[in-house]
Amino acid sequence: MNEFTVMIIDDEETMRELVRTFLEKEGYRVVEASNGIEALAAIDKQVPHLLLVDVMMPYMNGFTFTKEVKRKYDLPLIFLSAKGEEWDKIHGLKLGGDDYIVKPFHPGELLARIESVLRRTNPSPQKKNRYTIGPLTLDTNAHKATVDGQTLSLTLKEFELLSRLAQHPETVFTREQLLQSVWGEDYNGSERTVDTHIKTLRLKLKDHADLIQTVWGIGYKFEVS
């Protein structure tokens, strides 16, 4: 369990359950509210680190809720909405939203956006630097990876790519998401770069090459049998 608590505010129970299940698997503590009024009462009792706010809700829509919560708390907030019009996005960000995601969204995208916002708003969190996932062990401080105790000889980008996948097992990342998170948004190369590095990683993983699974038509995920 990591140190962050995320509140999901959405009148659709199915959406809340989907987000809760995904984020809890990633180690977040998740609390729920079905509308803005319920959320305001809950926040007064326990303040979360991040709010995920649906725009279209009964009693109090997401924009009105944001105005109310910002009166008392300086909390990071990501809007989740089926409304993808430019005006809605701009309005939400002007109200104090840190990001705006249009439904339906991919869980990997949501995770990346949450991590990005939390990095900006919590600049010095205590970070775990050693991970063991199945036969793989990662030391992010030393940039070292071992499989069954045997050290892998990896380039920096190979290590970063493997770390990104392995630290979020079962999460499917698109090639574009991996390209941006490992090479950066300003990188001008093609998504084939990701495929090439995945191929090399699998060769170096040898008998454990199947730790990196291809999800056809989408991208890749890390999977431990």
Side-chain angles (χ1 to χ4, degrees), residues 112-181:
R113 301 285 189 95
I114 288 174
E115 290 178 344
S116 177
V117 170
L118 288 174
R119 279 197 300 269
R120 293 199 304 268
T121 56
N122 297 270
S124 300
Q126 293 296 317
K127 290 187 177 180
K128 182 180 178 182
N129 57 47
R130 189 177 178 86
Y131 302 84
T132 298
I133 316 98
L136 175 71
T137 298
L138 298 170
D139 186 328
T140 56
N141 283 350
H143 281 79
K144 180 180 179 182
T146 61
V147 174
D148 290 337
Q150 299 297 311
T151 300
L152 299 177
S153 178
L154 303 178
T155 66
L156 176 60
K157 292 305 181 187
E158 288 169 354
F159 179 84
E160 291 178 348
L161 181 58
L162 181 61
S163 295
R164 182 63 176 168
L165 291 166
Q167 289 181 46
H168 306 288
E170 304 296 335
T171 299
V172 181
F173 291 96
T174 66
R175 290 171 176 80
E176 181 181 1
Q177 288 167 347
L178 292 171
L179 198 65
Q180 289 185 1
S181 63

Side-chain angles (χ1 to χ4, degrees), residues 13-79:
E13 184 177 359
T14 302
M15 177 58 67
R16 296 199 310 270
E17 289 181 355
L18 178 68
V19 173
R20 170 190 278 278
T21 299
F22 175 70
L23 291 184
E24 285 183 341
K25 187 173 70 173
E26 295 299 325
Y28 290 90
R29 182 175 182 272
V30 181
V31 292
E32 300 178 30
S34 61
N35 59 69
I37 296 173
E38 183 181 318
L40 289 172
I43 292 170
D44 284 338
K45 295 178 181 178
Q46 180 181 9
V47 181
H49 295 90
L50 175 71
L51 302 173
L52 301 177
V53 182
D54 182 32
V55 173
M56 300 297 291
M57 295 186 292
Y59 311 119
M60 179 186 293
N61 68 35
F63 294 149
T64 302
F65 165 78
T66 299
K67 292 179 183 178
E68 292 299 318
V69 77
K70 291 288 185 180
R71 294 178 194 273
K72 297 178 65 176
Y73 303 99
D74 184 20
L75 287 172
L77 184 152
I78 298 176
F79 288 106

Side-chain angles (χ1 to χ4, degrees), residues 27 101 139 141 183 200 216:
I101 304 177
D139 186 328
N141 283 350
W183 281 267
T200 304
W216 298 108

Side-chain angles (χ1 to χ4, degrees), residues 5-18:
T5 298
V6 176
M7 175 178 280
I8 168 70
I9 307 159
D10 197 309
D11 60 314
E12 295 183 25
E13 184 177 359
T14 302
M15 177 58 67
R16 296 199 310 270
E17 289 181 355
L18 178 68

